[in-house]
Amino acid sequence: MAMNDVISLLISGLGLAGIYFLLASGLSLIYGLMRVLNLAHGAIFAVGGFVGWAALEYLPVEPDWLRFTAALVLATLAGAMLGILIEKGLLARLYGRPYAQMLLTLGLAFAMTAFLGGWLGHDPLTLKQPAWFDEVTVIAGSRVVNSRLVIVGIALILFLATVVFLRRSKHGLIIRAGVNNRSMVMALGINVSKSFTLLFVIGSGLAGLGGVLAGVFFGSVTPELGTQQLIFAFIVIIVGGLGSLEGTALAALVVAVLQQFVNYYGPPGAGDLVTVLLLAVMLLVRPRGLLGKVAA
Amino acid sequence: MTRTQASPVRSWTASTSVLSLRNVDVHRGEAHVLRDVSFEMPPNAVTALLGRNGAGKTTTLLAVVGLLAATGRMSMAGTDLKPLKVDERVRQGIGYVPEDREVFADLTVAENLRLAMRGPESQARLQQVHKLFPILHERAQQRAGTLSGGQQQMIAIARALLNDNKILLIDEPSKGLAPAVVTEVVQAIEQVKATTTILLVEQNLAVAARLADHALVLDQGRLVYSGPMEDFARDTEATSRWLGVDIRPKAVGGRGNE
Ligand SMILES: Nc1ncnc2c1ncn2[C@@H]1O[C@H](COP(=O)(O)OP(=O)(O)OP(=O)(O)O)[C@@H](O)[C@H]1O
Ligand SMILES: [Mg+2]
């Protein structure tokens, strides 16, 4: 295989990994801490994509990179606000009833997708990306589209920020300990639900932002964006190990890079098939995932 | 002298006792685990909670902390515990040392302790804890999961000592530890017992006899003895009947036989 292809595929893979990470990390930590599976997380991702599209389309902000930054911020805020509404308004009323929570978030996912489709249609809406994004940078002799580099850079910064938050802040400490043993955290006199709400907001914000990056990566957004990507996010979470941020990052890399290479060199659709195979192997051989804290 | 009947400690009323349980029942799944348990705990003393495996000792502590639902009345230093959630109860002044230590394996020793620190007085208490268990200072940056069982037990006890608690609930601190480590843990509890009220679950009768002033004995979820530890430990018929222990307690370390 040509070296040029390898590098550009690798960077595409890294970009896709970043998107998977942004979608999966919140989902994984939220489940790890409270055993809540938020099936509306993908819909938050899609809403983020649409907010990003609308901001790039209509915001009268120049230059274009500033408009893009505004789009990211708005999508993050939209995701975070949806997160608060879902957690405080719905899930908090159903603590200790995991099936009720799952059904509710599943219903919400369908409703939000249908709402987006009814309002904006199901045809892909193309994102008006900054002009520089479509240009090409030559890295080690290989031509890489700039937008890929932007995605990789943003995802990397957010990954590091999340790691620092979990390692250094009091809430991060509570979240890490709570994923390990929530009852004991409570038995130390700590109100875990405060940290959980914060985690839910951060996770939802990251998903909203991830939706914009996905729009950039695929060129457009559709209402089904969330549902499609949520499947890969689940694969990433299980391969990486529930409740482990580092595991999620590692698995996002493995799954995305593998997918990119197999899609390019293999027959159509082979990349997606391989990730499902990887999931199956993982479930059989190592069900707690690469760096998992809790059994799946 | 044999006591087969529960004889409530009458000298402490609910108002002066640190912890008071009245007619407490706990169900776990199908099992009716605690049945009509009532007791009072006097301040600044160690009360041993004894009984065979499965008698309901751990269940009693979990019910007090709020990790298990219970019916009946429970209060601590006059505060009704029933309406409070786990974290609220603990912040009222409970230090809980669980049966299997339950340290956070992925966190460092320092992080485990930091998590337990609740108020401004905790920082000063951390120094005392480091004096009591110097190893926790030396290993501060090590992952707690990599420590020995005894060292993890020290973390578990240290967490309860980092706050100005009204009561410590300590569940089998000597479980699974080598005799030398047991002695170290016992000495640590002896150091703090003068100034704290402790409810101590302990299978090792010798350890219980050395540390405790009072004894509560559970049998199949019912309280069958409540009185001086010394009297109970001396009563071979009672110990063999309620604990399945035939031998007279030998003192641990320093103290001669009874
Ligand atoms: N999770 C559970 N679900 C149902 N029943 C339980 C559970 N845990 C314990 N039990 C039952 O509750 C009873 C009391 O258990 P508990 O752990 O309080 O005993 P214990 O006195 O602490 O015993 P040990 O000395 O072995 O620690 C036992 O009969 C046990 O089988
Ligand atoms: Mg027990």
Side-chain angles (χ1 to χ4, degrees):
Chain A
M1 52 178 96
M3 202 55 210
N4 295 357
D5 296 345
V6 171
I7 289 176
S8 92
L9 277 175
L10 203 59
I11 291 176
S12 278
L14 287 176
L16 192 59
I19 292 166
Y20 288 164
F21 171 78
L22 291 174
L23 182 57
S25 54
L27 208 55
S28 174
L29 285 174
I30 288 166
Y31 182 84
L33 186 60
M34 292 305 246
R35 300 294 184 275
V36 171
L37 200 53
N38 177 20
L39 293 172
H41 203 69
I44 295 176
F45 184 77
V47 168
F50 275 97
V51 169
W53 166 81
L56 291 172
E57 190 79 24
Y58 300 115
L59 263 195
V61 177
E62 294 295 339
D64 54 7
W65 63 263
L66 198 60
R67 193 178 325 133
F68 181 71
T69 309
L72 288 180
V73 171
L74 288 174
T76 308
L77 290 178
M81 264 159 57
L82 268 175
I84 293 186
L85 285 178
I86 293 174
E87 205 274 323
K88 284 267 172 228
L90 300 172
L91 294 179
R93 290 157 210 272
L94 295 172
Y95 271 146
R97 296 171 59 191
Y99 293 110
Q101 288 177 332
M102 229 155 85
L103 283 175
L104 188 71
T105 58
L106 182 66
L108 206 61
F110 282 131
M112 281 162 71
T113 308
F115 175 74
L116 285 176
W119 189 23
L120 297 159
H122 289 269
D123 296 330
L125 297 173
T126 308
L127 263 73
K128 284 206 184 120
Q129 304 179 25
W132 182 80
F133 278 29
D134 285 332
E135 290 166 20
V136 160
T137 299
V138 177
I139 295 176
S142 124
R143 298 161 56 79
V144 178
V145 183
N146 288 337
S147 65
R148 298 289 191 258
L149 297 174
V150 171
I151 295 172
V152 173
I154 292 173
L156 194 64
I157 290 169
L158 291 172
F159 167 66
L160 293 176
T162 318
V163 168
V164 170
F165 165 73
L166 286 178
R167 291 263 167 86
R168 296 265 172 266
S169 73
K170 179 88 185 194
H171 282 294
L173 192 60
I174 293 169
I175 290 165
R176 282 189 294 141
V179 167
N180 202 222
N181 182 347
R182 180 158 49 98
S183 304
M184 193 58 223
V185 177
M186 285 153 52
L188 291 176
I190 294 164
N191 182 350
V192 181
S193 58
K194 268 192 210 158
S195 302
F196 179 65
T197 303
L198 181 67
L199 175 63
F200 212 96
V201 168
I202 292 175
S204 304
L206 290 179
L209 186 146
V212 184
L213 296 189
V216 171
F217 189 90
F218 298 111
S220 62
V221 289
T222 65
E224 289 76 25
L225 178 71
T227 359
Q228 287 158 3
Q229 299 308 313
L230 195 63
I231 294 169
F232 294 117
F234 278 131
I235 294 176
V236 162
I237 289 169
I238 291 169
V239 170
L242 279 159
S244 162
L245 190 83
E246 289 84 357
T248 302
L250 184 63
L253 276 181
V254 171
V255 169
V257 171
L258 191 70
Q259 207 177 8
Q260 288 290 301
F261 274 86
V262 176
N263 269 340
Y264 188 78
Y265 290 106
D272 296 356
L273 191 66
V274 163
T275 60
V276 177
L277 279 179
L278 179 69
L279 171 70
V281 170
M282 207 64 196
L283 282 174
L284 289 173
V285 178
R286 197 179 159 83
R288 48 186 279 276
L290 294 172
L291 303 173
K293 316 273 186 218
V294 280
Chain B
M1 165 186 56
T2 307
R3 301 196 189 196
T4 51
Q5 289 294 309
S7 56
V9 180
R10 293 188 199 287
S11 35
W12 298 282
T13 62
S15 58
T16 60
S17 85
V18 178
L19 182 69
S20 158
L21 269 67
R22 284 287 161 87
N23 313 110
V24 167
D25 277 62
V26 174
H27 293 260
R28 299 182 80 165
E30 297 292 293
H32 191 170
V33 178
L34 287 189
R35 295 163 185 262
D36 198 27
V37 170
S38 303
F39 62 80
E40 308 289 335
M41 273 187 61
N44 296 328
V46 177
T47 302
L49 182 57
L50 307 171
R52 292 172 188 266
N53 289 119
K57 306 179 294 293
T58 299
T59 302
T60 306
L61 300 196
L62 290 171
V64 172
V65 177
L67 286 167
L68 282 176
T71 58
R73 282 189 289 158
M74 265 189 264
S75 63
M76 185 171 70
T79 307
D80 184 10
L81 292 178
K82 288 301 287 296
L84 304 180
K85 292 192 206 118
V86 176
D87 56 303
E88 294 165 336
R89 289 189 192 193
V90 170
R91 286 201 300 276
Q92 290 288 317
I94 299 177
Y96 175 50
V97 182
E99 183 164 11
D100 293 306
R101 310 190 251 274
E102 305 199 26
V103 303
F104 303 102
D106 291 332
L107 272 52
T108 64
V109 173
E111 286 174 333
N112 267 275
L113 298 183
R114 186 149 66 91
L115 204 54
M117 293 165 66
R118 293 204 288 272
E121 81 282 2
S122 294
Q123 200 59 44
R125 285 175 162 265
L126 183 62
Q127 317 249 313
Q128 294 168 12
V129 159
H130 280 154
K131 263 195 214 117
L132 198 58
F133 303 120
I135 191 80
L136 298 186
H137 189 45
E138 290 157 30
R139 302 283 173 90
Q141 298 312 318
Q142 197 172 323
R143 275 185 57 234
T146 64
L147 264 54
S148 74
Q151 292 162 347
Q152 293 190 17
Q153 186 63 315
M154 291 171 198
I155 296 180
I157 295 174
R159 287 191 301 207
L161 299 178
L162 285 168
N163 301 291
D164 187 12
N165 288 314
K166 296 193 178 81
I167 187 172
L168 303 187
L169 308 174
I170 307 180
D171 202 343
E172 298 205 36
S174 67
K175 189 180 178 185
L177 301 184
V181 187
V182 172
T183 308
E184 201 176 338
V185 167
V186 167
Q187 282 168 353
I189 295 175
E190 265 184 332
Q191 280 195 38
V192 299
K193 78 174 217 183
T195 52
T196 354
T197 307
I198 300 177
L199 183 57
L200 175 74
V201 174
E202 184 51 69
Q203 291 271 351
N204 184 331
L205 186 57
V207 170
R210 169 162 167 186
L211 288 172
D213 308 293
H214 313 286
L216 299 166
V217 182
L218 284 171
D219 183 60
Q220 294 181 41
R222 286 182 197 283
L223 198 65
V224 292
Y225 175 90
S226 170
M229 180 71 218
E230 219 174 325
D231 293 357
F232 180 75
R234 218 186 279 132
D235 186 342
T236 48
E237 195 181 321
T239 55
S240 80
R241 178 164 183 180
W242 303 126
L243 308 181
V245 179
D246 300 323
I247 43 157
R248 308 196 77 197
K250 272 187 272 159
V252 181
R255 215 159 92 178
N257 285 4
E258 303 287 8

